[in-house]
């Protein structure tokens, strides 16, 4: 299966702040999203998820590697990016911040189409997008302002704005993190429905492993700028290989295992440890004392979607 | 119970729960309207007990918790009783209340990580309540602060560091150390881990759990995350629209919820490995009541959850719903618990 969206050896390095080294926020990532597939990208705060998501939609220019859409490398001229965004849309975390408080729902959703000159039958386009996002009947919502809607409805408006361009891929960064539990389920259902009815592909960024279980086909676990484990949701979440994935799963309330609490400093992209980048906090290394852990670098995972799971660790394969 | 009680507490104290909250109500006034944020909440809590309070944002959790120690703005109008060791804190004198706040009950606030003073070392900040309340010297206070920092898993050499030198999770642990400074009997923790990562959250919860086991303090822990609460707390109260929808032992509320809202909330947190939730997210159509809808609720009859309830019947719109016993040590505010109970 040809991926609709792919990154190869992607690097995004932010320039150094005063007195510090440059931040290697994304430090070698291979990842593919197939037609009609939902891939979840999970990992703790600051590991580089949003940076990767922004690079995928062309908002950040990679310092190395490539983003490919339908197999074609992304161009970074204004015209190329504009064309690309019709095809791949970003849905941001925090709907409150993503919407302009003085713009009503119609104008918010119409913004993309207007930017792309799709003003023919604009009303119909906007109403269709609102209905697809579950805001029905659309006429009832079109005139409203953000403060007249709940958080869940605001998030639906943001999704409608993305759908108005009829994209084939959606990159959603924490689309439900700021929503209440009962509303979160409704938005996740919507993402699944859009995949089933429109064949939409999606990369969903989250720190919540339960979200991956709820909606994703495959999952990629990120740590300090790299994917450390990836594969099908069943394989990675039920039979995790990498010590980091194992630790993340063990601290979930329902894990049924003793929690493995990672200690040590939170990961810092301005000083990535040599050898395996997880070695300063790795419980398996502490137990095994293998010299490769801090002495030998690991290759970047290929991200081959046909493998049921891949882990970047010297000791487990 | 009292006869075999090994504690040193006098007889009459053992009979009075540490905290006894009765028909607590809070209205916020302002902008020409009144928002009823808490609409009649009652519960008790003893030493060494943990009560989790769950519910969606706006359900009144923070308002309820802060009203216990009269920490709400003056626009809030509080009625009912908050009996702490038998004494009503809602009518207590300010001086008395202040003493209680320092030494007997303390609060870890929602978003408190940013409440630390950025220009003072955390050592100074932890020492302050000890110096003020325990009337001890600098040296003793310093030693106590070092102990406290150690008990929350941070090296005591970091007493001289400033807040910005700590991560979010570490700052949250410092807030817990401050809450423990004067050896309180009760800690109220409002969303202590909500802004934190899973790993850091696990560290903080682990710490709170140890403190309860080791020192026998009572804890009220508020969270919107039902799964976290059910593992941390023996008992659980689920709030909806300013009222308790269901209360009882945590395990039972999760495995056999009696209120449809508890059921929906439980399903919203999938268990990884559960085939029922695989590629099947569970939500609840509709939204929690807005402040203006809350105001209308107070004047109308029927169940506050009715507009979103998948099990609602006609009676749910007209009958008065209150908490009814739904099993040993449990209550639920749903007409359905009356069915088959002979009531
Ligand atoms: N514009 C920037 N300049 C410098 N460093 C940055 C910039 N944006 C992000 N970073 C750093 O890059 C790393 C990755 O950030 P990113 O926002 O991608 O993380 P994330 O995984 O999305 O985290 P979260 O879960 O908190 O949203 C972090 O260490 C962050 O501090
Ligand atoms: N200071 C305030 N002034 C007016 N209304 C408030 C204030 N704080 C909270 N409210 C309202 O009271 C209700 C309950 O809020 P809150 O106690 O913060 O709920 P929770 O902690 O469960 O999210 C909401 O409708 C909220 O808008
Ligand atoms: S390579 Fe070593 S340090 Fe890295 S994850 Fe594997 S065991 Fe841990
Ligand atoms: S009383 Fe009726 S509407 Fe309310 S929770 Fe029970 S079944 Fe639902
Ligand atoms: Mg992010
Ligand atoms: Mg709150």
């Amino acid at each position: 299966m040809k991926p609709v969206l792919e990154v190869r050896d992607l690097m995004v390095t932010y320039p150094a702040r005063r007195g510090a080294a440059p931040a290697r926020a994304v430090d070698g990532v291979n990842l593919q999203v197939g037609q009609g597939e939902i891939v979840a990208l999970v990992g703790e705060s600051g590991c580089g998820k949003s940076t990767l998501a922004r690079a995928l939609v062309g908002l950040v220019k990679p310092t190395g590697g490539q983003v490919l859409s339908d197999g074609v490398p992304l161009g970074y001229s204004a015209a190329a990016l504009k064309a690309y965004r019709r095809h791949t849309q970003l849905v941001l975390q925090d709907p409150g911040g993503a919407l302009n408080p003085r713009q009503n729902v119609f104008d918010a959703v119409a913004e993309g189409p207007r930017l792309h000159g799709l003003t023919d039958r604009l009303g119909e386009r906007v109403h269709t997008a609102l209905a697809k996002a579950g805001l029905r009947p659309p006429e009832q919502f079109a005139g409203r302002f953000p403060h007249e809607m709940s958080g869940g409805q605001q998030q639906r408006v943001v999704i409608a704005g993305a759908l108005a361009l009829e994209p084939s891929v959606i990159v959603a960064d924490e689309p439900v993190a700021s929503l209440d539990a009962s509303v979160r389920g409704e938005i996740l259902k919507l993402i699944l429905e859009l995949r089933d009815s429109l064949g939409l592909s999606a990369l969903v960024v989250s720190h919540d492993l339960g979200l991956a279980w709820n909606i994703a086909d495959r999952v990629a676990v990120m740590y300090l700028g790299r994917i450390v484990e990836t594969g099908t949701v069943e394989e990675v979440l039920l039979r995790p290989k990498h010590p980091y994935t194992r630790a993340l799963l063990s601290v979930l309330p329902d894990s049924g295992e003793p929690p493995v609490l990672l200690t040590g400093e939170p990961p810092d992209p301005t000083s990535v440890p040599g050898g395996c980048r997880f070695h300063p906090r790795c419980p398996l290394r502490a137990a095994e004392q293998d010299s490769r852990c801090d002495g030998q670098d690991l290759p970047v995972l290929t991200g081959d979607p046909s493998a049921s799971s891949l882990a970047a660790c010297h000791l487990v394969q | 119970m009292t006869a075999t009680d090994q504690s040193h507490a006098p007889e009459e104290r053992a009979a009075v729960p540490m905290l006894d909250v009765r028909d607590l109500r809070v209205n916020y006034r302002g902008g020409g309207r009144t928002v009823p944020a808490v609409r009649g909440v009652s519960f008790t809590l003893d030493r060494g007990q943990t009560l989790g309070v769950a519910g969606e944002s706006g359900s009144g959790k923070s308002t309820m918790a802060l009203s216990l120690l009269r920490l709400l703005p003056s626009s809030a109008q509080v009625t009912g009783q908050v009996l702490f060791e038998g004494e009503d804190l809602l009518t207590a004198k300010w001086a008395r209340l202040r003493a209680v706040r320092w030494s007997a009950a303390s609060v870890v606030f929602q978003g408190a990580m940013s409440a630390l003073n950025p220009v003072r070392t955390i050592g100074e900040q932890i020492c302050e309540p000890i110096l003020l309340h325990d009337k001890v010297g600098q040296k003793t206070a310093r030693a106590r602060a070092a102990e406290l920092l150690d008990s929350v898993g941070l090296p005591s050499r970091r007493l001289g560091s400033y807040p910005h030198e700590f991560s979010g999770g570490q700052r949250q642990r410092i807030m817990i150390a401050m809450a423990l400074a004067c050896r309180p009997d009760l800690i109220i923790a409002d969303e202590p881990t909500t802004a934190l990562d899973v790993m850091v959250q696990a560290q903080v919860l682990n710490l709170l759990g140890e403190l309860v086991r080791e020192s026998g303090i009572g804890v009220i822990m508020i969270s919107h995350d039902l799964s976290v609460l059910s593992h941390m707390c023996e008992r659980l109260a689920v709030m909806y629209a300013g009222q308790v929808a269901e209360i009882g032992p945590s395990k039972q509320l999760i495995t056999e919820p009696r209120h449809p809202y508890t059921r929906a909330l439980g399903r919203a947190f999938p268990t990884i490995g559960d085939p029922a939730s695989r590629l099947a997210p569970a939500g609840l159509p509709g939204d929690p009541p807005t402040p203006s809808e809350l105001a209308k609720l107070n004047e109308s009859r029927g169940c506050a959850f009715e507009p979103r309830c998948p099990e609602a019947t006609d009676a749910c719109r007209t009958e008065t719903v209150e908490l009814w016993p739904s099993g040993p040590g449990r209550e639920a505010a749903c007409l359905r618990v009356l069915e088959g109970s002979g009531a």
Side-chain angles (χ1 to χ4, degrees):
Chain A
M1 187 174 58
K2 210 177 75 183
V4 290
L5 186 60
E6 180 179 6
V7 296
R8 285 192 200 148
D9 295 320
L10 194 79
M11 312 269 268
V12 180
T13 304
Y14 293 111
R17 294 204 188 97
R18 245 182 317 139
R24 288 149 62 186
V26 176
D27 196 31
V29 166
N30 289 309
L31 186 68
Q32 309 193 347
V33 182
Q35 164 72 48
E37 188 178 44
I38 300 179
V39 177
L41 179 67
V42 301
E44 60 195 316
S45 184
C47 72
K49 305 182 296 295
S50 295
T51 304
L52 178 54
R54 289 160 57 82
L56 278 170
V57 296
L59 279 173
V60 173
K61 197 172 173 185
T63 40
Q66 280 182 321
V67 177
L68 298 98
S69 165
D70 283 327
V72 181
L74 187 57
Y76 289 88
S77 69
L81 281 176
K82 192 171 163 187
Y84 177 59
R85 298 232 174 86
R86 274 203 67 179
H87 176 269
T88 305
Q89 276 284 311
L90 180 67
V91 173
L92 279 178
Q93 82 193 67
D94 179 23
L99 294 171
N100 175 347
R102 280 186 291 274
Q103 202 175 37
N104 72 18
V105 167
F106 187 95
D107 289 329
V109 176
E111 195 170 297
R114 281 183 178 139
L115 214 64
H116 287 268
L118 303 168
T119 44
D120 234 33
R121 300 210 275 173
L122 183 63
E124 195 183 311
R125 184 181 277 272
V126 169
H127 283 182
T128 308
L130 285 172
K132 279 183 196 159
L135 294 169
R136 301 186 196 104
E139 305 77 41
Q140 227 180 67
F141 291 92
R144 288 203 208 171
F145 288 87
H147 73 267
E148 298 170 303
M149 289 179 298
S150 68
Q153 289 168 339
Q154 290 178 11
Q155 188 58 285
R156 286 175 193 271
V157 173
V158 173
I159 293 176
L163 294 177
L165 288 168
E166 298 170 353
S168 50
V169 186
I170 276 190
V171 175
D173 191 354
E174 301 275 12
V176 294
S178 59
L179 302 177
D180 273 318
S182 69
V183 180
R184 183 167 61 208
E186 296 297 305
I187 298 289
L188 295 181
K189 269 191 217 166
L190 172 65
I191 295 176
L192 269 182
E193 279 163 21
L194 292 171
R195 183 261 291 274
D196 293 342
S197 61
L198 307 176
L200 210 63
S201 313
L203 180 92
V204 183
V205 172
S206 178
H207 61 273
D208 175 8
L209 293 163
L211 176 147
W213 182 256
N214 263 165
I215 66 165
D217 304 303
R218 285 192 303 121
V219 59
V221 182
M222 197 164 180
Y223 184 83
L224 199 45
R226 284 260 175 106
I227 308 282
V228 294
E229 182 160 7
T230 180
T232 64
V233 164
E234 279 81 2
E235 205 52 42
V236 173
L237 298 189
L238 300 182
R239 289 169 289 277
K241 289 180 185 161
H242 197 282
Y244 178 64
T245 317
R246 290 186 174 197
L248 277 185
L249 283 161
S250 79
V251 300
L252 295 183
D254 294 317
S255 79
E257 295 175 43
V260 180
L261 294 176
L262 297 178
T263 51
E265 293 300 305
D268 173 7
T270 63
S271 69
V272 177
C276 167
R277 58 192 58 214
F278 184 51
H279 85 256
R281 300 172 81 197
C282 181
L284 184 61
R285 168 188 179 244
E288 299 284 326
Q289 300 288 339
D290 192 300
S291 64
R292 287 174 297 174
C293 291
D294 59 351
Q296 190 179 327
D297 284 355
L298 283 153
V300 174
L301 289 181
T302 58
D304 177 3
S306 63
S308 64
S309 90
L310 298 166
C313 169
H314 289 300
L315 304 192
V316 296
Q317 278 316 319
Chain B
M1 274 303 268
T2 324
T4 54
D5 195 341
Q6 300 286 308
S7 82
H8 310 292
E11 293 271 297
E12 78 269 27
R13 262 182 68 178
V16 179
M18 174 172 64
L19 182 69
D20 184 354
V21 177
R22 299 183 183 172
D23 197 31
L24 185 68
R25 289 169 192 273
V26 183
N27 291 324
Y28 287 106
R29 291 154 162 270
R33 67 171 187 188
T34 299
V35 176
V38 177
R39 306 186 302 129
V41 166
S42 305
F43 64 88
T44 63
L45 184 80
D46 257 316
R47 273 187 194 68
Q49 285 190 338
T50 44
L51 174 70
V53 181
E56 297 179 272
S57 93
S59 60
K61 306 181 297 295
S62 297
T63 302
M64 187 276 283
L66 297 183
S67 69
L68 300 178
L69 294 177
R70 280 163 55 192
L71 290 163
L72 292 173
S74 57
S75 62
Q77 190 185 44
V78 185
T79 62
Q81 285 183 304
V82 176
L83 303 172
F84 186 77
E85 310 284 11
E87 175 184 5
D88 190 352
L89 296 183
L90 294 185
T91 54
K93 294 235 161 57
W94 276 104
R96 174 72 194 125
L97 189 66
R98 231 179 357 252
V100 170
R101 277 190 207 160
W102 279 126
S103 63
S106 51
V107 183
V108 180
F109 294 104
Q110 181 166 15
M113 292 181 286
S114 51
L116 289 167
N117 186 335
V119 298
R120 297 179 60 209
T121 68
I122 59 145
E124 288 171 314
Q125 298 187 58
I126 299 177
C127 283
E128 185 178 297
I130 304 174
L131 288 168
L132 268 170
H133 177 262
D134 290 357
K135 310 222 163 45
V136 293
Q138 273 287 349
K139 217 169 148 196
T140 318
R142 213 58 202 173
R144 186 88 229 286
E147 248 173 64
L148 283 165
L149 210 55
D150 186 60
S151 73
V152 297
L154 290 169
S156 51
R157 65 181 155 80
R158 301 212 55 187
L159 278 175
S161 304
Y162 291 88
H164 73 265
E165 298 171 58
F166 294 92
S167 73
Q170 290 172 329
R171 269 182 272 171
Q172 192 59 284
R173 282 188 272 167
I174 293 165
M175 292 305 301
I176 294 173
M178 287 175 70
L180 291 170
C182 295
R183 302 187 175 87
D185 299 314
L186 171 67
I187 286 195
I188 300 168
D190 189 1
E191 311 256 9
T193 62
T194 296
L196 305 177
D197 257 314
V198 271
M199 192 53 69
V200 185
Q201 166 172 310
Q203 290 163 357
V204 172
L205 292 176
N206 193 44
L207 168 72
L208 270 173
E210 266 170 27
L211 291 171
V212 175
R213 278 191 297 280
E214 283 165 15
S215 54
I217 45 179
V219 174
I220 298 178
M221 184 159 134
I222 295 166
S223 175
H224 64 277
D225 188 335
L226 199 63
S227 59
V228 161
L229 288 180
S230 65
H231 286 263
M232 267 296 294
C233 306
E234 300 149 52
R235 282 201 310 151
L236 205 58
V238 176
M239 285 186 71
Y240 191 82
Q243 292 175 323
V244 173
E246 186 164 9
I247 184 166
S250 301
K251 297 245 152 45
Q252 292 181 25
L253 253 68
I254 299 300
T255 54
E256 306 158 57
R258 297 294 308 273
H259 195 286
Y261 178 63
T262 313
R263 201 168 299 140
L265 204 56
R267 283 202 204 110
F269 296 94
T271 301
I272 287 170
D274 174 14
S277 56
R278 178 72 185 122
L279 294 177
L284 184 65
D287 294 293
T290 61
S292 57
E293 283 164 350
L294 272 178
K296 282 182 216 138
L297 273 179
N298 246 16
E299 284 126 42
S300 59
R301 296 163 68 86
C303 173
F305 187 55
E306 188 272 335
R308 300 175 77 192
C309 182
E311 299 170 33
T313 60
D314 287 344
C316 302
R317 274 194 298 276
T318 52
E319 299 289 316
T320 303
V321 179
E322 53 193 83
L323 276 172
W324 288 294
S326 57
R330 336 177 26 175
E331 290 176 312
C334 172
L335 287 167
R336 310 213 78 152
V337 305
L338 298 179
E339 289 169 13
S341 70

